[in-house]
């Protein structure tokens, strides 16, 4: 069946979903209320940094498969499916703010034609879609809500949509679920058919579990530092057990971004409303927060003596490589704490400098990584951008004031750093411990291949 799909919200999820559906020759109408964002998109430009998204959007616009509008009346007259992809930002208490979702629901209820299916892609707390379904049950016709959570990663979003391993469709209306499965399914992906609340829990459960994995390996790294083990070796050895798996066992500064910190808190909050204390989630957050300060302590210990007046070069500001997203980025906490301690902080990021600048008052922003490290007492690696891994560290050695590196992502090769004359500190990595046959740089290669 041929569907015209309206997408509410041209943010991250909406844009990627819209561009991918249009490239699969679906007719897509993006409904975006922000005039500036709309205009940018109409001109074929993407307001976020996401590899491959801009050409995909441009091709879809040129082919006439996708258009951008603010005209809900027209969109609802054409569409047989409305995808909700608006933001659900965290409130101060950690609960998800559903204002934008509720606005879309009200608009759809007022103007949709019979047969329209509502697809919930926004991340909403478990139980939300079932509650909203009550509002859409009424006269003159019901509008089924199918929960279809998104599992894409920033920086690899298009690849993640196209190579999805699962497409979750949750809802009470079987026919509606099958229609959504037909539109959202991709070859090779298993369709998980379930109810709305289970679908929502799959999303929160997945993100929370991955966050737990990260906090777990970070605690292992911390005990490695105390006991003398090497976290790379431990993660490798553990990861070979298929019940555990190597992915998301990269120790370091911990998780940031718009998803893990928000979703872990939101699931804990949601459970709390039912009188359940989700201790593992609380601990995962606590460990993650502490990890940033542990990194700062490592820098303090490494520079030896007072940190006041020391020049610390931060490499990497975005919450992870491949994005300019600064939400919950470790770099901000690290930089601010170092400044509080009286250090002089200079920073660089290949793409996130513009977004980072207002969040880093007092931090000097360098034009290039080499400029950042010039005269530094310590180089602090915060985001593992490939350009830092492939820097000419011999050149860096001659630019810094003191050859000291604290690697918050365990991504530099210890032996190579030592060979270049650096004193190297990782997170739970022991100097002299060799992971036979696998070097740190292998991790980067494996990750780029989606293995590690
Ligand atoms: C995450 C999930 O991976 C996606 O499946 C999900 O769809 C998305 O959230 C979402 O809910 O929208 P994302 O936040 O883009 O995706 O980034 P990840 O690649 O998962 O990384 C999250 C954070 O964990 C980053 O700060 C990263 O540096 C950190 N991380 C990741 C580690 O510290 N160690 C690891 O081993 C892996």
């Amino acid at each position: 069946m041929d569907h015209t799909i309206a997408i509410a919200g041209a943010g991250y999820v909406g844009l990627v979903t819209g561009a991918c559906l249009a490239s699969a020759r679906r007719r897509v109408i993006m409904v975006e209320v922000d005039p500036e964002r709309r205009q940018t998109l109409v001109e074929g430009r993407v307001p976020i940094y996401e590899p491959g998204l801009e050409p995909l959007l441009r091709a879809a616009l040129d082919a006439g498969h996708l258009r951008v509008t603010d005209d809900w009346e027209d969109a609802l007259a054409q569409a047989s499916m409305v995808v909700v992809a608006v933001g659900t930002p965290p409130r101060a208490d950690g609960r998800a703010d559903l204002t934008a979702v509720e606005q879309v629901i009200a608009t759809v209820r007022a103007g949709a034609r019979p047969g329209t299916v509502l697809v919930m892609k926004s991340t909403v707390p478990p139980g939300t879609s079932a509650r909203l379904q009550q509002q859409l049950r009424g006269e003159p016709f019901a509008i089924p809500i199918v929960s279809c959570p998104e599992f894409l990663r920033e920086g690899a979003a298009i690849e993640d949509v196209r190579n999805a391993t699962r497409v979750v469709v949750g809802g009470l209306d079987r026919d509606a679920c099958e229609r959504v499965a037909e539109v959202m399914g991709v070859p090779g992906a298993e369709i998980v058919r379930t109810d709305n609340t289970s679908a929502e829990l799959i999303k929160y459960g997945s993100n929370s579990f991955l966050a737990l994995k990260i906090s777990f390996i970070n605690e292992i790294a911390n005990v490695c530092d105390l006991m003398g083990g090497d976290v790379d070796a431990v993660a490798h050895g553990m990861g070979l057990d298929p019940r555990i798996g190597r992915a998301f066992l990269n120790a370091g500064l911990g998780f940031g971004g718009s998803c893990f910190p928000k979703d872990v808190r939101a699931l804990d909050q949601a459970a709390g409303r039912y009188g359940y204390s989700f201790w593992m989630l609380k601990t995962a957050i606590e460990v993650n927060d502490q990890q940033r300060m542990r990194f700062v302590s490592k820098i303090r210990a490494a520079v030896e003596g007072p940190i006041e007046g020391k020049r610390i070069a931060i490499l990497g500001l975005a919450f992870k490589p491949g994005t300019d997203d600064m939400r919950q980025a470790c770099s901000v906490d690290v930089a601010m704490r170092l400044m509080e301690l009286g250090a002089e902080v200079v920073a660089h990021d290949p793409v996130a400098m513009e977004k980072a600048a207002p969040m880093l008052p007092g931090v000097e922003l360098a034009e290039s990584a080499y400029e950042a490290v010039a005269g530094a007492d310590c180089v602090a690696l915060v985001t593992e951008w490939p350009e830092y891994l492939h820097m000419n560290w011999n050149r860096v050695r001659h630019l810094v004031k003191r050859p000291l590196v604290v690697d918050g992502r365990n991504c530099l090769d210890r032996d190579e750093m030592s060979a270049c004359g650096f004193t190297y500190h990782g997170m739970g990595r022991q100097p002299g411990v060799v992971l036979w046959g696998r070097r740190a740089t292998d991790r980067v290669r494996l990750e780029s291949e989606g293995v590690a």
Side-chain angles (χ1 to χ4, degrees):
M1 188 175 166
D2 196 16
H3 295 282
T4 293
I5 302 150
I7 300 190
Y12 210 87
V13 169
L15 264 180
V16 172
T17 307
C20 287
L21 287 172
S23 76
R25 300 178 163 273
R26 303 279 182 187
R27 277 194 307 277
V28 175
I29 307 174
M30 305 275 335
V31 187
E32 172 55 52
V33 289
D34 178 342
E36 207 177 309
R37 182 169 272 253
R38 209 168 48 239
Q39 189 51 37
T40 308
L41 296 171
V42 166
E43 288 164 13
R45 290 181 293 121
V46 170
I48 45 178
Y49 178 86
E50 178 62 42
L53 185 54
E54 198 161 279
L56 205 64
L57 175 83
R58 217 168 267 173
L61 287 165
D62 290 349
H65 294 144
L66 182 147
R67 63 192 173 85
V68 188
T69 179
D70 61 345
D71 185 349
W72 262 117
E73 207 177 304
D74 173 51
L76 291 176
Q78 315 253 347
S80 56
M81 210 171 259
V82 179
V83 178
V84 186
V86 290
T88 52
R91 294 182 204 261
D93 65 359
R95 283 190 300 152
D97 182 348
L98 298 177
T99 313
V101 169
E102 279 161 2
Q103 269 165 9
V104 174
I105 300 282
T107 307
V108 173
R109 184 173 51 178
R113 57 193 173 99
T116 302
V117 174
L118 210 137
V119 184
M120 187 62 74
K121 271 222 173 279
S122 297
T123 301
V124 293
T128 305
S129 297
R131 176 173 61 79
L132 295 171
Q133 185 66 83
Q134 300 296 330
Q135 298 174 15
L136 295 177
R137 182 149 283 167
E139 296 297 315
F141 52 86
I143 301 172
I145 302 183
V146 177
S147 302
C148 182
E150 196 48 70
F151 301 103
L152 54 85
R153 290 164 303 165
E154 291 188 20
I158 293 162
E159 182 193 320
D160 281 355
V161 171
R162 291 186 170 160
N163 302 324
T165 52
R166 60 189 155 164
V167 170
V168 176
V169 288
L172 294 173
D173 185 320
R174 276 197 172 193
D175 178 52
C177 287
E178 290 315 317
R179 281 166 63 191
V180 175
E182 200 249 315
V183 170
M184 299 295 175
V186 289
E190 177 168 339
I191 307 288
V192 182
R193 295 172 175 86
T194 183
D195 59 281
N196 292 101
T197 302
S198 303
E200 289 159 349
L201 275 166
I202 291 172
K203 168 72 185 186
Y204 278 96
S206 300
N207 275 1
S208 297
F209 189 76
L210 293 173
L212 285 176
K213 256 187 122 173
I214 297 168
S215 280
F216 183 85
I217 201 66
N218 282 338
E219 294 221 83
I220 294 281
N222 297 340
V223 296
C224 279
D225 272 339
L226 297 169
M227 298 172 178
D230 183 79
V231 74
D232 285 350
V234 179
H236 177 56
M238 283 173 62
L240 288 172
D241 182 336
R243 295 172 302 175
I244 298 173
R246 176 62 182 82
F248 282 72
L249 286 183
N250 296 325
L253 266 159
F255 55 83
S258 65
C259 306
F260 286 178
K262 165 173 91 86
D263 293 351
V264 175
R265 278 196 176 83
L267 181 54
D268 179 36
Q269 282 283 339
R273 283 199 296 283
Y274 291 84
Y276 187 79
S277 242
F278 209 141
W279 291 110
M280 293 176 93
L281 299 185
K282 294 185 209 305
T283 308
I285 294 166
E286 184 63 31
V287 169
N288 198 54
D289 290 346
Q290 281 179 17
Q291 207 63 9
R292 300 172 181 200
M293 293 307 115
R294 279 182 182 275
F295 181 66
V296 173
S297 302
K298 260 185 195 284
I299 295 171
R300 286 181 84 176
V303 294
E304 293 163 351
I307 194 158
E308 285 99 328
K310 294 271 174 7
R311 190 170 169 84
I312 314 291
I314 292 185
L315 294 185
L317 295 168
F319 86 93
K320 67 170 191 176
T323 178
D324 62 349
D325 199 335
M326 284 295 297
R327 285 175 287 180
Q328 303 291 318
C330 305
S331 59
V332 178
D333 287 346
V334 169
M336 290 300 115
R337 182 68 190 133
L338 287 169
M339 302 262 293
E340 265 170 34
L341 294 169
E344 195 185 301
V345 181
V346 52
H348 173 263
D349 189 280
V351 301
M353 302 268 269
E354 208 181 304
K355 289 202 175 154
M359 303 168 81
L360 297 169
V363 173
E364 188 184 323
L365 295 175
E367 291 283 310
S368 73
Y370 291 102
E371 194 183 295
V373 298
D377 291 284
C378 174
V379 176
L381 198 138
V382 170
T383 314
E384 67 277 36
W385 282 99
E387 89 164 60
Y388 302 142
L389 311 186
H390 303 125
M391 272 173 98
N392 179 342
W393 287 94
N394 270 316
R395 184 177 161 203
V396 175
R397 168 75 185 84
H398 291 101
L399 289 171
V400 293
K401 187 164 164 199
R402 208 176 140 193
L404 180 61
V405 170
V406 182
D407 177 0
R409 295 294 175 184
N410 286 356
C411 60
L412 297 170
D413 191 305
R414 283 165 300 182
D415 301 339
E416 276 174 29
M417 297 309 292
S418 302
C420 290
F422 281 91
T423 302
Y424 173 90
H425 298 272
M427 306 285 278
R429 285 177 127 186
Q430 301 311 313
V433 179
V434 178
L435 186 53
W436 298 108
R438 282 171 66 93
R439 299 165 72 86
T441 39
D442 282 350
R443 204 197 90 197
V444 177
R445 180 180 57 75
L446 291 170
E447 271 183 350
S448 69
E449 290 164 7
V451 178

